[in-house]
Amino acid sequence: MEQLPAIHFRTALLPDGWAHDVRIETAAGRIACIDTGVSAQPRDERAAIGLPGMANLHSHAFQRAMAGLTGKRGPGADSFWTWREWMYRFVGRLTPDDVEAIAALAFVEMVEAGFTRVGEFHYLHHDFGGQCFADPAEMGARIAAAAGTAGIGLTLLPVFYAQGGFGGVPAGDGQARFLSTPDSYARLIEASRHVVAPLGDALVGVAPHSLRAVTPDALAAILPLANGNPIHIHIAEQVREVEDCVAWSGRRPVEWLFDHVAVDGRWCLVHATHMTADETHALARSGAVAGICPITEADLGDGLFPAIDYRAAGGAWGIGTDSNVAIDMADELRLFEYGQRLHHRARNVIADEGGFNGRALFDGALKGGAQALGVEAGLKVGAPADWATLDPDHVGLIGRQGDALLDSFLFASGRHAIDAVWRGGRKVVTGGVHHARAAVVSRYCMVLQRLLMT
Ligand code: NGQ
Ligand code: ZN
């Protein structure tokens, strides 16, 4: 990975829109200077089309290794909950080495797809049987090491998990490796800050897993640990979860959260699929980010986020690859839009009148994703020097300019049009391939052979 002094783009998407002849200088991994309408200098790296790096606001990296293994139909009706049983059996077998190898692959694939920062919603904390490791952040250290290998920015979200269901139901055996008390969680957060420090610009947030997994008292005890950093929670993803919450409290999950906690712009509500119009407006008004994970939500049969009402109310949103069954920024954004089109039987639903759909999708996810991960978005001075370049010779982009480039990238060519990716001022992907891919894949193969063949 070479340090990059400066890059010249024929055209690049800046916060105000597309600009031509854009020259960016970097220093210490950040953008130090941006000039437009200037020519390249002799030593500059050159690229045709530049896009800011995208945030992947929600990932469970280890689930990458299960992709495609949960498609066999069971004797009864398959659901999110039967998938979760399968996932618990899989996660129950992973060692720290396994987690690092799988996360490294997932993160390499994220960077190749144009994601330059990930929010890793990380809950596998303990050894087999729930025993603590000597370092409570042993597993977090493996996630951080994988992020270092892939060169992806990391917002680590150590998860607080204590209960098996609403109303303080005890956790089940399959959840033993996830559990904390508020005291042990405070130590985990402290240790996590320590293990991510070598990455330079990593952040540690706070993540109550879901309202199912915490009591109100524990939730109140852990939130101050965020200390200004992001707070993420899974919420209202499944109808049964909404029903159980109503049975317990008389309120729906999003209602309950807004009744009991001051939700603000530091929060990311992951999924928020099942909301009434009032909940949708309350979330939009709060300034929190809705964390939409279109591919996983489709894979798990969650339902459709009320995107049109939410956008009309000015709500912030971003995208996550969640279960990592597929890792692809263009696919996530396209499915977000297509889900709405299928449901509403309409076209171009996310764009504002007169605007391009791809641009509205990209700008929305860029802004909300960065907010959710606690960083600056876009190609501007002071922001991380993170960007992707598109291949101007890709057949899907021929003759395109400006916003039509984004529409053609997201809706037609997809990830194959991504040429290079820079992260923190370093080029980590060339010709669509991550520089560490071969080594990461070879380690991943060894781990998967052992996990799946024995
Ligand atoms: C997770 N995934 O934590 O990996 C969850 C499943 C749960 C999604 N919700 C476990 N998509 O929610 O209880
Ligand atoms: Zn999740």
Side-chain angles (χ1 to χ4, degrees):
M1 292 193 281
E2 296 152 34
Q3 185 63 40
L4 177 79
I7 184 165
H8 185 276
F9 298 101
R10 209 166 69 208
T11 180
L13 183 61
L14 303 186
D16 300 337
W18 290 94
H20 297 293
D21 290 311
V22 178
R23 186 169 184 275
I24 297 184
E25 285 179 21
T26 70
R30 294 188 173 271
I31 296 176
C33 174
I34 303 185
D35 290 309
T36 59
V38 297
S39 10
Q41 295 187 12
R43 291 186 57 244
D44 289 354
E45 176 94 29
R46 286 164 185 251
I49 306 157
L51 292 175
M54 180 63 74
N56 176 7
L57 58 65
H58 189 73
S59 155
H60 310 285
F62 76 85
Q63 292 175 12
R64 180 60 179 150
M66 302 166 32
L69 297 180
T70 59
K72 185 174 174 198
R73 187 159 171 180
D78 281 342
S79 69
F80 172 90
W81 307 101
T82 55
W83 169 86
R84 192 174 80 154
E85 286 306 315
W86 205 101
M87 185 271 280
Y88 282 175
R89 286 197 294 281
F90 185 78
V91 72
R93 300 185 53 210
L94 302 179
T95 67
D97 274 351
D98 299 343
V99 166
E100 182 176 338
I102 298 168
L105 180 76
F107 293 165
V108 157
E109 294 180 309
M110 287 175 198
V111 175
E112 287 177 344
F115 289 118
T116 49
R117 191 173 192 93
V118 61
E120 180 62 22
F121 197 99
H122 163 61
Y123 56 86
L124 180 60
H125 302 312
H126 309 308
D127 205 345
F128 304 119
Q131 262 172 300
C132 293
F133 291 111
D135 177 352
E138 168 70 35
M139 284 292 198
R142 302 312 191 104
I143 298 289
T149 301
I152 197 167
L154 178 65
T155 296
L156 183 62
L157 300 156
V159 170
F160 178 80
Y161 206 113
Q163 314 301 147
F166 289 100
V169 171
D173 290 345
Q175 296 159 337
R177 300 185 70 183
F178 316 156
L179 305 179
S180 302
T181 63
D183 285 345
S184 74
Y185 187 67
R187 291 193 292 278
L188 174 64
I189 291 289
E190 186 60 40
S192 300
R193 292 197 173 114
H194 193 73
V195 299
V196 306
L199 291 173
D201 67 350
L203 289 174
V204 175
V206 159
H209 179 274
S210 51
L211 293 178
R212 294 179 259 129
V214 303
T215 60
D217 286 351
L219 181 62
I222 64 162
L223 291 180
L225 297 169
N227 218 1
N229 280 346
I231 303 171
H232 287 220
I233 188 169
H234 289 127
I235 200 154
E237 181 182 9
Q238 282 281 319
V239 169
R240 190 175 108 190
E241 173 188 355
V242 176
E243 291 167 354
D244 289 353
C245 189
V246 170
W248 163 62
S249 69
R251 305 291 277 164
R252 302 163 57 85
V254 173
E255 286 173 345
W256 190 95
L257 191 72
F258 279 85
D259 282 353
H260 291 85
V261 177
V263 176
D264 60 19
R266 289 174 312 156
W267 282 74
C268 176
L269 273 61
V270 180
H271 308 303
T273 311
H274 300 287
M275 297 193 289
T276 62
D278 283 351
E279 289 175 305
T280 305
H281 292 136
L283 178 51
R285 272 197 312 272
S286 71
V289 177
I292 320 294
C293 308
I295 293 176
T296 297
E297 288 158 9
D299 183 57
L300 298 180
D302 289 342
L304 268 186
F305 179 78
I308 294 188
D309 280 359
Y310 186 69
R311 280 252 316 160
W317 62 277
I319 47 161
T321 61
D322 192 350
S323 68
N324 296 310
V325 60
I327 295 179
D328 194 312
M329 181 237 297
D331 283 356
E332 295 285 2
L333 290 173
R334 188 186 323 123
L335 184 57
F336 180 51
E337 167 76 21
Y338 278 175
Q340 302 295 322
R341 290 190 191 187
L342 287 164
H343 183 75
H344 295 283
R345 289 179 250 156
R347 296 195 72 247
N348 300 336
V349 295
I350 296 296
D352 292 323
E353 222 175 294
F356 278 86
N357 211 77
R359 176 73 183 284
L361 288 165
F362 193 87
D363 281 356
L366 183 73
K367 187 159 171 275
Q371 179 186 324
L373 298 190
V375 295
E376 295 276 331
L379 299 178
K380 61 184 185 202
V381 172
D386 297 355
W387 53 76
T389 71
L390 299 181
D391 173 6
D393 298 324
H394 190 282
V395 71
L397 303 186
I398 302 296
R400 271 56 167 180
Q401 285 181 24
D403 287 342
L405 280 169
L406 265 179
D407 267 2
S408 302
F409 164 48
L410 297 178
F411 287 90
S413 67
R415 63 176 306 163
H416 302 291
I418 296 181
D419 179 16
V421 180
W422 279 259
R423 149 69 199 155
R426 291 170 190 273
K427 189 175 190 179
V428 288
V429 171
T430 302
V433 179
H434 195 290
H435 300 177
R437 173 173 265 278
V440 165
V441 167
S442 113
R443 185 170 171 197
Y444 176 82
C445 284
M446 289 193 315
V447 163
L448 267 276
Q449 301 279 351
R450 209 200 76 247
L451 278 171
L452 301 182
M453 311 289 195
T454 58

